[in-house]
Amino acid sequence: MPDVTKLASPLDVGGVRIHNRVFLAPMSGITDEPFRQRAHAHGAGLVVSEMVASGELAKGRAGSGLRIRHSGLPVHMVQLAGREAMHMAEGARIAVGEGADIIDINMGCPAKKVTGGYAGSALMRDLDHALSLIEAVVGAVDVPVTVKMRLGWDEGALNAPMLARRAEQAGVMMVTVHGRTRCQFYQGTADWRAIARVKQAVSIPVVANGDVGSPAEAASILDQSGADAVMIGRAHYGAPWTAGSIVAAALAEPVAGMPASPQALGDYVIAHYEDMLTLYGVESGLRQARKHLGWYLDRHAGGTSDDRRKAILTSFEPGRVIAFLRDMFSTAPEAANLRSAA
């Protein structure tokens, strides 16, 4: 097994110093400013914006600017998606103008609404076109450019090593590989050993992603992939401290900012809820926050009755939601053992 203390060491990405090697993955509709701030406060070494459509950003569409807004963290990393080189380049310039320190190109999203527009992981079906986007972004900005990809479109086209090699030659400074094909979506298990072929193909840092949510899994993915860092996505649902908990384990230290009691967890969830209402406004914030509240309830208050859960997730009255949350998390037995839940 590898020395997991490596995860707590810094990593250089094109001259940008990353504090440690456990990262929060970009997740559409999830890794907004309040979520990234929490993951960073708990110890995640790098946090990435939710995916931003470069065409919408270049055209000034409502909401796209909010996704790239600098949140005051030491490293501001913005992920762009798209299929037009002109829009990708302009989106990158706009993001850098807003303070982005690193631009990440999405070539891994499996969602049909993204791949149907020949973006995301669909780009892995046409590496020449994928490289034209990479070259456009690298040529447009002076900050490091990275790429997030999958193993390939399907089992018959596992071309991540080739894409990574060509991306490095085009000036990309780091690649992240999710250990599934696009056609797997999130089914089955991630193939951590397949990521090793990407690591062998390049000299830039490789980040391994897929099915990591614990210190033991982080150690295993490093061992099997030989990667330089790990990136964690869905394990953060209802637990923004997940990446930080892995760093803390590597250091044999407590998790920074971890709620220490059921009441503290209730306060934590309420503060997250209120921050989302502030960011989006009450009307939109209520809708945006519901998935997060559902995950917090699932993970830490599983005994919540269906009626109470429905009331929390459908109410249009923030004060009523907050009162319910305070009551739920003060009595939920699951909330009493937060460290095991992380």
Side-chain angles (χ1 to χ4, degrees):
M1 294 294 285
D3 178 8
V4 294
T5 60
K6 167 186 174 181
L7 292 172
S9 65
L11 179 68
D12 182 88
V13 179
V16 176
R17 186 178 186 273
I18 310 302
H19 183 62
N20 66 57
R21 301 176 183 228
V22 186
F23 305 161
L24 169 69
M27 292 180 282
S28 184
I30 299 169
T31 55
D32 57 15
E33 185 175 309
F35 200 94
R36 297 196 307 273
Q37 288 176 329
R38 281 162 174 77
H40 172 77
H42 293 305
L46 183 65
V47 298
V48 191
S49 78
E50 55 187 312
M51 179 179 67
V52 183
S54 60
E56 293 185 4
L57 183 59
K59 295 173 184 177
R61 296 281 172 81
S64 58
L66 192 63
R67 297 189 186 98
I68 66 167
R69 189 174 76 176
H70 202 299
S71 54
L73 301 181
V75 178
H76 182 41
M77 185 170 179
V78 172
Q79 187 186 70
L80 297 177
R83 63 188 177 100
E84 301 290 343
M86 177 179 66
H87 289 159
M88 290 292 287
E90 181 60 18
R93 283 190 287 265
I94 293 170
V96 170
E98 291 294 321
D101 300 294
I102 302 174
I103 299 295
D104 186 59
I105 301 174
N106 184 309
M107 295 190 176
C109 180
K112 291 181 180 179
K113 67 179 181 180
V114 176
T115 59
Y118 302 102
S121 55
L123 292 168
M124 299 192 75
R125 304 182 77 177
D126 185 347
L127 297 194
D128 289 340
H129 183 58
L131 262 292
S132 73
L133 303 185
I134 291 171
E135 290 167 352
V137 174
V138 170
V141 297
D142 293 326
V143 303
V145 175
T146 64
V147 175
K148 189 171 190 293
M149 64 185 73
R150 288 199 164 215
L151 296 177
W153 178 260
D154 57 27
E155 290 295 327
L158 300 177
N159 56 0
M162 183 181 298
L163 174 57
R165 186 183 304 112
R166 294 183 66 180
E168 180 182 21
Q169 292 168 351
V172 161
M173 296 294 182
M174 181 175 76
V175 295
T176 299
V177 185
H178 183 113
R180 288 182 174 86
T181 66
R182 182 272 173 181
C183 290
Q184 284 181 275
F185 284 83
Y186 296 99
Q187 301 300 312
T189 57
D191 186 349
W192 296 340
R193 294 189 185 280
I195 299 172
R197 292 193 285 274
V198 179
K199 176 62 181 171
Q200 293 159 6
V202 298
S203 60
I204 55 177
V206 172
V207 184
N209 174 227
D211 295 350
V212 177
S214 70
E217 288 164 347
S220 292
I221 198 172
L222 285 181
D223 182 41
Q224 295 181 37
S225 69
D228 302 279
V230 299
M231 180 174 279
I232 302 164
R234 292 171 295 155
H236 282 95
Y237 291 179
W241 49 79
T242 299
S245 71
I246 292 172
V247 177
L251 294 170
E253 294 178 353
V255 184
M258 186 77 171
S261 69
Q263 291 75 20
L265 178 58
D267 292 340
Y268 181 99
V269 174
I270 290 166
H272 190 174
Y273 178 66
E274 292 176 329
D275 283 352
M276 293 190 73
L277 298 184
T278 298
L279 178 67
Y280 296 108
V282 173
E283 183 177 352
S284 177
L286 285 169
R287 296 193 300 272
Q288 298 280 355
R290 284 170 180 161
K291 55 182 170 288
H292 293 283
L293 296 182
W295 291 326
Y296 282 126
L297 292 172
D298 290 343
R299 191 181 283 255
H300 308 292
T304 303
S305 70
D306 290 343
D307 288 345
R308 181 60 63 89
R309 179 186 174 87
K310 181 178 180 180
I312 291 171
L313 299 184
T314 62
S315 176
F316 289 95
E317 301 175 31
R320 188 165 182 253
V321 172
I322 289 169
F324 279 146
L325 290 172
R326 202 172 299 284
D327 178 61
M328 289 284 66
F329 285 103
S330 66
T331 58
E334 294 92 336
N337 192 2
L338 300 176
R339 296 193 184 279
S340 64

